[in-house]
């Protein structure tokens, strides 16, 4: 067993005893290395608040669907905007679409040696830390898999959600440090928070496949038909054909 | 073996009967030589084995082609959902990102709205013609509003196009605005040209039947089969023409207030209008728009036309009723353009159009025609754009005020003096004209000035006798 795993286990038991948030106890388990600090310093130097322009004066020709931003947001939103994916031409729209029903941590929070359960979490509930399970009668009334508009699929560890909301006291401290700290303090904070976060997140096929998927569809109250539609998703199959990030494929490939 | 082959037949050596036969007097004919065919006499082939494979293949191909034509062309061209399959992604909610310029780019389309819209029958690629690959190239998705599409205008059967409208638009004062090259990637760039309108700046994709007309449309459509279907039978007509005609039966999609709203989106924005540069026809140089232009929307709102429309009375003239009454109503021109509806030589005809001021064309009414509907004097005196200064004293309004001022001063001053200093006797006041006669005939007494005062009494306070 690696040293890191032992550290994880030690801190895990310590965290249970102290009843810390799993996101903190599992996430901040090790100090960032020098490379991570160097990278963090560069990112802090280039960081700027993103101002979203909606091209005033030129209305959208096609009517759009309404937005579903939740009132309550997780820690990630302190720095990252509501539509955080911008780099990949191919997948950024689809990834941003997934933020409507999947928490950031589900894809990006991957501490080593830890396996989570993924369940629906209602961001809008007064007591957020209980799992939301759609009732069986909900299916008739709400044919969508999403039980409530503010619900997101979030990681759970031993029955507790492994994420931190912005209104949490710890999150407030982090925000204050980010807001008022110097360059070095910001870089260390950023590096520490991102130790257990994977920039690339999950692949499409981690969920959109028939066997050994990341998400338990039954536990997420999906019907057989819904589970099959997700597992056998045509767009995910289409994306699997790309060999590199700059490649373009013919639209007709979607039919294969 | 061909029957023309000489060896196909076997001539009998001799005809059995060689006696010449006389048909007519003097004309003999001899019996024809007898012959028999040499080809093998085959047994009769059953009917099912006489089928020619080539002909069968040809018949099959023709049938398929005919069926194809019937299905695609002859049958009613109903409002199809999504022939290009674009909505399989674009109907997903939440497809959006922020590009490098910080512009929010939304790829999600409300599918039910689109399919119920004016362009609901237009396949996506009829407008976004060059989209073939994914990720899409922005330039491949650019839209040209003048391009034709596969939707056929029902009465003429020709592909529909906005080309005539864009050509009229390009000849207008707004002509330098965009009419093609629209994409989500260049909205910010177009927004920078704030002074110039474009197709998409004024016209989003609206519902085919507006929300306000939908209840009436539904009620009328329920009677379509009984009312129109008495003569026009069949689903083809119903699907292709019924809705199309019934939609027009409801009237224009926009009323005059909607017309004004579209114009006011820009023209009521003083900041935007202040940025407009207009070419001086004499010097050829571009100059900033003057106060009259900037406040055109405000001055119009003060006129009877503007007030009528604001009150919901359709009798008022909208912006384009004067500025683009004919054609596709996109041909707004400068007032000094001889072809402009507001040119001094065209005004009479413009005012008389649409059954409005029919008498405007009479030569005696030239003064009426030259009424300035954008008179800057209708703007409030405290306007920052057109402050009250000497230039506004040259108008007829100012001259009228100046002419009436002495009369107002005299009458007003006199009234004031009378109030302050006048004799306020508590007595009955009779009219100057006819008052004496009234007293004699109705009341039955002499007017006061004719009554003799008793000796020893003063004139003041003396009551009637």
């Amino acid at each position: 067993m690696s040293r890191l795993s032992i550290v994880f286990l030690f801190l895990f038991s310590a965290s249970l005893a102290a009843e810390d948030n799993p996101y903190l106890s599992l996430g901040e388990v090790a100090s960032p290395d020098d490379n991570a600090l160097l990278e963090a310093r560069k990112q802090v130097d280039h960081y700027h608040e993103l101002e979203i322009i909606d091209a005033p004066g030129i209305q959208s020709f096609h009517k759009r669907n309404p937005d579903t931003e939740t009132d309550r947001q997780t820690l990630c939103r302190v720095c990252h905007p509501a539509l955080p994916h911008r780099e990949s031409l191919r997948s950024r729209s689809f990834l941003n679409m997934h933020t409507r029903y999947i928490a950031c941590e589900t894809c990006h929070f991957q501490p080593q040696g830890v396996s989570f359960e993924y369940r629906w979490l209602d961001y809008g509930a007064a007591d957020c830390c209980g799992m939301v399970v759609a009732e069986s009668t909900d299916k008739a009334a709400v044919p969508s898999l999403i039980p409530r508009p503010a619900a997101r699929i979030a990681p759970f560890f031993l029955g507790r959600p492994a994420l931190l909301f912005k209104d949490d006291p710890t999150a407030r401290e982090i925000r204050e440090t980010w807001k008022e700290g110097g360059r070095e303090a910001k870089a260390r904070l950023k590096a520490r928070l991102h130790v257990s976060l994977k920039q690339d997140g999950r692949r499409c096929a981690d969920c959109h496949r028939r066997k050994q998927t990341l998400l338990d569809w039954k536990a997420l109250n999906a019907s057989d038909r819904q589970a099959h539609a997700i597992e056998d998703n045509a767009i995910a199959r289409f994306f699997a054909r790309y060999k590199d990030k700059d490649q373009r494929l013919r639209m007709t490939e979607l039919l294969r | 073996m061909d029957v023309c082959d000489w060896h196909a037949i076997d001539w009998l050596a001799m005809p059995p009967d060689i006696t010449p036969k006389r048909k007519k007097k003097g004309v003999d004919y001899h019996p024809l030589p007898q012959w028999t065919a040499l080809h093998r006499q085959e047994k009769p082939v059953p009917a099912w084995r006489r089928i020619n494979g080539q002909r069968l293949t040809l018949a099959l191909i023709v049938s398929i082609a005919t069926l194809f034509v019937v299905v695609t062309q002859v049958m009613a061209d109903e409002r199809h959902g999504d022939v290009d399959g674009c909505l399989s992604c674009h109907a997903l909610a939440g497809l959006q990102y922020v590009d490098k310029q910080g512009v929010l780019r939304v790829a999600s389309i409300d599918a039910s709205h689109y399919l119920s819209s004016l362009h609901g029958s237009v396949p996506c690629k009829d407008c976004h013609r060059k989209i073939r690959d994914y990720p899409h190239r922005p330039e491949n998705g650019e839209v040209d509003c003048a391009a034709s599409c596969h939707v056929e205008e029902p009465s003429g059967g020709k592909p529909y196009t906005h080309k005539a409208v864009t050509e009229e638009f390009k000849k207008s004062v707004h002509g330098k605005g965009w009419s093609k090259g629209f994409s989500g990637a260049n909205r910010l760039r177009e927004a920078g040209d704030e002074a110039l309108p474009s197709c998409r700046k004024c016209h989003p994709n609206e519902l085919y039947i507006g929300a306000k007309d939908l209840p009436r449309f539904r009620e009328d459509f329920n009677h379509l089969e009984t009312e129109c279907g008495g003569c026009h039978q069949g689903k083809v007509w119903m699907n292709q023409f019924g809705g199309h005609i019934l939609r027009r039966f409801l009237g224009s999609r926009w009323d005059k207030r909607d017309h004004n709203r579209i114009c006011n989106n820009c023209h009521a924005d003083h900041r935007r209008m202040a940025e407009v540069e207009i070419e001086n026809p004499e010097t050829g140089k571009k100059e900033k728009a003057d106060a009259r232009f900037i406040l055109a929307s405000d001055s119009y709102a003060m006129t009877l036309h503007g007030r009528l429309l604001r009150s919901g009375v359709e009798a008022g003239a909208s912006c384009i009723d004067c500025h683009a009454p004919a054609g596709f109503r996109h041909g707004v021109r400068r007032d000094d353009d001889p072809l402009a509806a507001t040119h001094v030589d065209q005004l009479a005809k413009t005012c008389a159009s649409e059954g409005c001021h029919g008498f405007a064309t009479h030569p005696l009414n030239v003064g009426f025609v030259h009424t300035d509907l954008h008179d800057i004097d209708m703007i409030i005196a405290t306007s920052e754009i057109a402050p009250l200064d000497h230039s506004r004293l040259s108008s007829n309004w100012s001259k009228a005020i100046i002419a009436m001022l002495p009369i107002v001063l005299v009458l007003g001053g006199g009234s004031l003096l009378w109030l302050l200093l006048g004799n306020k006797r508590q007595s009955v006041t009779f009219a100057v004209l006819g008052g004496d006669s009234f007293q004699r005939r109705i009341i039955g007494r002499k007017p006061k000035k004719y009554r003799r005062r008793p000796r020893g009494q003063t004139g003041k306070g003396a009551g009637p006798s």
Side-chain angles (χ1 to χ4, degrees), chain B residues 151-299:
Chain B
V151 175
E152 288 184 356
E153 199 270 315
S155 56
K158 293 180 183 175
Y160 189 80
T161 174
H162 297 295
K163 190 174 179 184
V165 181
T166 56
E167 283 174 353
E168 184 179 278
F169 172 76
K170 282 179 187 170
K171 291 176 188 169
S172 72
V173 290
H174 301 128
K176 288 186 181 172
W178 295 24
S179 64
K180 62 179 180 180
F182 298 115
S183 76
N186 55 26
R187 284 172 68 210
L188 189 63
R189 183 156 58 95
E190 187 193 337
D193 296 334
E194 285 192 11
L196 296 169
S198 67
C199 302
R200 67 175 169 183
K201 194 176 271 189
C202 300
H203 300 294
N205 191 24
E206 297 180 348
L207 288 172
Y208 184 67
I209 307 290
K212 61 181 181 181
D213 293 325
L214 196 56
R216 190 181 150 203
F217 179 82
R218 280 189 179 139
E219 188 186 333
D220 290 341
F221 199 80
N222 285 337
H223 299 95
L224 194 65
E225 287 195 16
T226 53
E227 303 300 328
C228 307
C231 294
H232 298 281
Q233 300 286 323
K235 278 194 173 180
V236 172
W237 187 89
M238 285 296 181
N239 290 338
Q240 193 167 2
F241 288 95
H244 182 81
I245 293 170
L246 193 60
R247 161 69 195 83
R248 278 135 187 84
F249 184 69
L250 292 173
S252 175
R253 181 171 288 109
W254 296 305
D255 58 21
K256 293 186 180 186
R257 282 196 291 182
D258 293 327
H259 294 161
N260 286 355
R261 178 180 49 79
I262 292 172
C263 299
N264 282 336
N265 280 341
C266 293
H267 283 278
D269 186 341
H270 298 156
R271 185 192 59 80
R272 183 181 289 179
M273 290 298 104
E275 299 294 324
V276 172
E277 289 184 341
I278 300 174
E279 185 180 312
N280 188 320
E282 294 172 7
T283 63
K285 289 183 183 176
K286 286 199 173 177
E287 297 165 354
K288 287 284 188 186
D290 58 7
R292 180 187 159 81
F293 178 88
I294 296 171
L295 294 170
S297 178
D298 301 61
S299 54

Side-chain angles (χ1 to χ4, degrees), chain A residues 82-95:
Chain A
L83 304 172
H85 307 97
R86 299 176 65 192
E87 296 300 322
S88 168
L89 267 65
R90 188 168 69 225
S91 56
R92 56 188 171 183
S93 298
F94 291 95
L95 293 174

